Amino acid sequence: MPSSEHLPMDPIAEARRQWAAHGWEEAADGMAAVTSLMRAQQIVLARVEAVLRRYGVTFARYEVLMLLLFSRRGSLPMAKIGERLQVHPSSVTNSVDRLEAAGLVRRIPHPTDRRTTLVELLEPGRKLALQATEDLNAEVFRSPGISPEAVTTLVETLTELRRTAGDF
């Protein structure tokens, strides 16, 4: 629930205190870490989506465009997109449907495998991806809200969490 007014205290710190007071001290720091991470994700996603809204795409669709932009041929199989973005095939289908309807990508048959459909980045999609990236770099990625040292530490910490979870 975003608000223009700041809270007089940190609600996660208060929740941590309550956790400990109710006998869950051994889990209080973990609860605070997980809750903080989830709140931080909301904050960052809101900033990213505010930029992408100007381009009429969600972050999920932007990720598809960027994956295609970074590919050698400007096209990838639908299954490969899902694998690389670590999302369910139905999410890829939904994103590609929307991007195709907007004239940013198109589906084409694979030249050697009739069972495979490729998604190809079109010139308007390339332009949108590059323009949106310029804005994201300027408004979000260059200044994510923490110091450069904290960014490095955060990336290392989250990489450890992801590795432990079997993400890669």
Side-chain angles (χ1 to χ4, degrees):
M1 158 184 100
S3 171
S4 60
E5 294 184 34
H6 296 288
L7 295 173
M9 49 64 134
D10 179 354
I12 296 173
E14 175 59 17
R16 194 235 169 271
R17 188 187 71 71
Q18 291 287 346
W19 229 254
H22 283 80
W24 304 312
E25 178 70 37
E26 72 285 349
D29 286 342
M31 178 282 303
V34 169
T35 305
S36 294
L37 183 60
M38 293 172 76
R39 177 61 185 133
Q41 190 267 348
Q42 292 171 334
I43 292 166
V44 171
L45 186 59
R47 289 182 66 201
V48 167
E49 288 189 343
V51 171
L52 293 177
R53 194 173 301 117
R54 298 191 297 252
Y55 295 95
V57 295
T58 62
F59 187 64
R61 286 180 236 152
Y62 170 76
E63 285 185 301
V64 172
L65 292 174
M66 292 306 293
L67 188 59
L68 293 170
L69 181 75
F70 292 150
S71 69
R72 277 185 241 126
R73 294 185 180 97
S75 65
L76 287 169
M78 296 272 289
K80 183 69 74 178
I81 292 170
E83 177 185 304
R84 292 200 181 152
L85 295 179
Q86 299 174 300
V87 297
H88 193 272
S90 62
S91 296
V92 175
T93 299
N94 182 298
S95 290
V96 171
D97 285 349
R98 301 280 180 109
L99 292 168
E100 191 170 38
L104 303 173
V105 303
R106 70 176 172 179
R107 288 177 170 92
I108 57 173
H110 191 285
T112 61
D113 183 352
R114 294 183 338 189
R115 298 166 299 166
T116 301
T117 298
L118 297 174
V119 179
E120 180 180 60
L121 183 63
L122 299 175
E123 191 55 32
R126 178 179 307 282
K127 286 180 181 175
L128 185 150
L130 291 171
Q131 290 170 347
T133 299
E134 285 297 319
D135 287 350
L136 283 169
N137 285 340
E139 299 175 40
V140 181
F141 299 151
R142 285 190 187 110
S143 301
I146 57 178
S147 72
E149 298 78 20
V151 168
T152 300
T153 300
L154 180 61
V155 170
E156 290 169 354
T157 300
L158 294 176
T159 299
E160 179 184 348
L161 183 142
R162 293 174 42 240
R163 185 181 300 109
T164 301
D167 207 25
F168 59 94

